[in-house]
Amino acid sequence: MEQQDEGPQAITQIVIVDDDQFQLKLLSHQLSMVGYKNVIAFDDGQTALNHMVGLVLDTTIVILDLNMPNMDGLEFLQKLRDAKFTGALLLVSGEDERVLQSAETLASSYDLLVLGHLNKPVQQEQLQKYLKQLVAQREKLLVGEKQHIYSAERLKVAIESGELVNFYQPKVLLHSGELVGVEALVRWEHPEDGLILPDNFIDLAEENELIDKIAQQVLRNALVDSNIWKKSGINITVAVNISMYNLNTREFISYLENELLTSGISPNELILEVTESKLMKDYSLVLDMLTRLRLRRVNLSIDDFGTGHSSMAQLRDIPFNELKIDKGFVHSAYDNATLHGIFDGSIQLAKNLGIKTVAEGVENEADWSFLDGSGCDLAQGFFIGRPMRVLELSEWKTQWAERYAKIAV
Ligand code: C2E
Ligand code: MG
Ligand code: MG
């Protein structure tokens, strides 16, 4: 079946499920005003489901009220999951924002495509915004599907033949905009497939005992590149991502010490960003190694703080001196009371422990302004600078100084 790429044509049918007759009429009317004529309304979940059997589901949008007397919205979501619904969803409720957010998270965990949620009474502009987003989201999903799956053997060849390269993303001081460090982010320069992001091969590397080799290469390259920056007068810290799995053996520490000696980079110019690993074997060995590294003045950063992989228990046990607040709590926090609350709490927590804070995922000027005066020390994100190659940093630094001068006024 042919699918148009824009506007109402990309959607063949909209199904509204809401027990409130007035809402049904209002929404149908709002949709027809913006050109969506093929709208069917149901005041009961089961009837809607019966109707949906046989529809072309991936071009169907369901606008779902969460509060319904017979089958409630959450049960409806389960049925959609069971039916492997491939269309898109918009959730509507008169309940508070947090209930809507939880329902949205739940639906996503069922692998349902959720465009967003709407508070009653539904605003026309909001509704239209989400419908437009659908087209963009579809494109993103298609890109995702194009990703290849790689074998461990192929990855091993890539590591040995030097196909992995470090990109670097700047970290700047919030109060002055000054560049104080970079984070090394590994990429695979695949000869046919182009630049491949780490999420596509880090798990594979961990599962096949290739992660140590990657950590070693990334670390060595980061130290070599630090010396390149030093020569051009850029004195900054460099952060390397380490999975706790890398600390399953004592080998890593001696490798690291050797590399520091060879490069002449001092330990306090290096930051290790630590994330938990599913495959971590011996927690006491990890604690031992991290404490040793800290004693030698290497900086330790708890990465993705606030997510399932990064917890209070780790903060209690490991002598971290930097905390990176996960982008999920930074981007859009200006606009979301829950994120705002968690963000402020994390800053306070870090302050109580006397450790530095970095906000990840600063994507736009609104995110940046939100951080101003928040008490956070450092910022990192696409708004400031995308991950780049070693030699691009100096040019970026000049451009950022000009941009910062404008946003700081
Ligand atoms: P991470 O350490 O939390 O790194 C930050 C990730 O967020 C990077 O993705 C970066 O490109 C992305 N990012 C930066 N600014 C923004 C922004 O404003 N908005 C959004 N949405 N994203 C932003 P990347 O490079 O794809 O890396 C993903 C993860 O892969 C990293 O998350 C890290 O956990 C892991 N990783 C990267 N390099 C290595 C490595 O050398 N070793 C290991 N073990 N893991 C690595
Ligand atoms: Mg990191
Ligand atoms: Mg992170």
Side-chain angles (χ1 to χ4, degrees):
M1 185 174 150
E2 197 185 317
Q3 195 168 317
Q4 306 285 332
D5 57 0
E6 243 176 54
Q9 294 85 350
I11 299 158
T12 54
Q13 174 139 246
I14 298 183
V15 175
I16 312 176
V17 194
D18 194 323
D19 62 304
D20 179 344
Q21 293 291 344
F22 175 71
Q23 268 299 321
L24 286 179
K25 289 216 177 77
L26 184 68
L27 264 175
S28 306
H29 177 68
Q30 285 177 316
L31 287 164
S32 92
M33 295 286 284
V34 288
Y36 296 92
K37 303 286 183 204
N38 197 358
V39 178
I40 306 192
F42 296 94
D43 63 2
D44 170 81
Q46 191 55 55
T47 328
L49 285 170
N50 295 346
H51 168 81
M52 285 168 67
V53 177
L55 279 187
V56 183
L57 289 182
D58 51 358
T59 53
T60 300
I61 294 189
V62 174
I63 301 182
L64 175 66
D65 178 29
L66 293 178
N67 318 66
M68 293 186 295
N70 296 330
M71 178 190 291
D72 71 21
L74 298 187
E75 199 182 336
F76 192 88
L77 288 175
Q78 278 176 20
K79 303 267 185 203
L80 286 183
R81 175 196 57 187
D82 297 345
K84 304 208 170 6
F85 177 65
T86 49
L89 267 165
L90 264 174
L91 306 178
V92 191
S93 170
E95 298 297 326
D96 76 22
E97 192 58 26
R98 299 205 45 199
V99 173
L100 275 163
Q101 270 164 20
S102 306
E104 193 177 325
T105 309
L106 180 70
S108 302
S109 79
Y110 290 163
D111 284 331
L112 296 168
L113 172 60
V114 191
L115 297 176
H117 57 252
L118 298 162
N119 271 106
K120 284 185 182 176
V122 173
Q123 306 290 319
Q124 179 88 14
E125 307 81 65
Q126 271 269 311
L127 184 61
Q128 232 188 319
K129 183 186 103 188
Y130 283 130
L131 295 175
K132 279 195 183 139
Q133 261 177 26
L134 178 65
V135 180
Q137 296 233 8
R138 279 264 146 72
E139 272 165 14
K140 243 201 223 159
L141 282 184
L142 287 177
V143 173
E145 274 166 16
K146 275 189 217 142
Q147 300 266 353
H148 291 87
I149 307 286
Y150 299 97
S151 69
E153 290 72 40
R154 180 65 189 85
L155 180 59
K156 189 156 182 268
V157 172
I159 298 169
E160 282 161 2
S161 58
E163 287 174 8
L164 299 192
V165 285
N166 285 7
F167 272 51
Y168 298 95
Q169 189 176 34
K171 287 157 78 177
V172 301
L173 284 177
L174 266 157
H175 72 85
S176 64
E178 186 193 345
L179 170 71
V180 287
V182 289
E183 174 178 6
L185 294 160
V186 70
R187 270 98 182 90
W188 175 0
E189 263 186 322
H190 194 287
E192 280 97 42
D193 299 347
L195 216 54
I196 298 166
L197 295 175
D199 286 342
N200 298 301
F201 59 89
I202 290 293
D203 280 353
L204 180 71
E206 280 204 4
E207 284 153 16
N208 293 279
E209 317 234 318
L210 295 169
I211 195 72
D212 284 341
K213 279 268 170 307
I214 294 185
Q216 291 175 3
Q217 275 195 11
V218 172
L219 177 71
R220 175 174 292 172
N221 292 337
L223 296 177
V224 167
D225 292 343
S226 289
N227 275 321
I228 295 181
W229 294 315
K230 263 191 205 315
K231 285 205 187 88
S232 62
I234 302 179
N235 289 298
I236 49 175
T237 59
V238 66
V240 170
N241 289 284
I242 296 292
S243 128
M244 285 198 185
Y245 187 76
N246 292 130
L247 305 167
N248 276 337
T249 66
R250 292 191 183 274
E251 240 179 86
F252 181 74
I253 262 198
S254 45
Y255 179 86
L256 186 137
E257 283 176 338
N258 259 322
E259 288 300 312
L260 281 173
L261 273 178
T262 321
S263 67
I265 300 289
S266 101
N268 63 20
E269 293 171 294
L270 176 67
I271 301 175
L272 298 180
E273 294 192 6
V274 184
T275 46
E276 199 172 74
S277 162
K278 282 169 265 175
L279 300 174
M280 184 174 50
K281 288 179 207 138
D282 183 350
Y283 192 55
S284 52
L285 179 59
V286 170
L287 285 186
D288 174 291
M289 303 259 280
L290 288 172
T291 310
R292 251 170 234 271
L293 284 165
R294 191 69 202 105
L295 279 171
R296 288 176 197 169
R297 300 280 178 274
V298 172
N299 300 287
L300 301 180
S301 177
I302 180 164
D303 205 352
D304 305 333
F305 185 72
T307 67
H309 303 296
S310 193
S311 67
M312 297 274 187
Q314 288 173 26
L315 260 187
R316 178 197 60 201
D317 297 340
I318 301 170
F320 288 111
N321 57 336
E322 181 183 272
L323 179 150
K324 294 191 87 172
I325 305 175
D326 190 67
K327 47 182 171 281
F329 304 109
V330 175
H331 173 53
S332 295
Y334 61 87
D335 194 25
N336 180 317
T338 308
L339 298 185
H340 196 148
I342 295 173
F343 181 88
D344 284 349
S346 309
I347 298 282
Q348 200 50 53
L349 177 64
K351 281 205 190 311
N352 293 345
L353 299 175
I355 58 188
K356 246 190 330 209
T357 42
V358 184
E360 288 183 342
V362 182
E363 275 188 20
N364 51 43
E365 191 159 354
D367 290 339
W368 173 271
S369 308
F370 164 77
L371 294 175
D372 196 22
S374 67
C376 184
D377 301 305
L378 296 162
Q380 180 181 346
F382 296 160
F383 175 71
I384 301 151
R386 293 202 168 246
M388 62 192 91
R389 292 176 196 266
V390 51
L391 295 178
E392 292 169 331
L393 191 70
S394 156
E395 167 80 19
W396 167 86
K397 193 170 178 251
T398 313
Q399 285 173 3
W400 166 247
E402 287 166 13
R403 224 156 34 94
Y404 180 77
K406 288 193 194 121
I407 53 173
V409 286

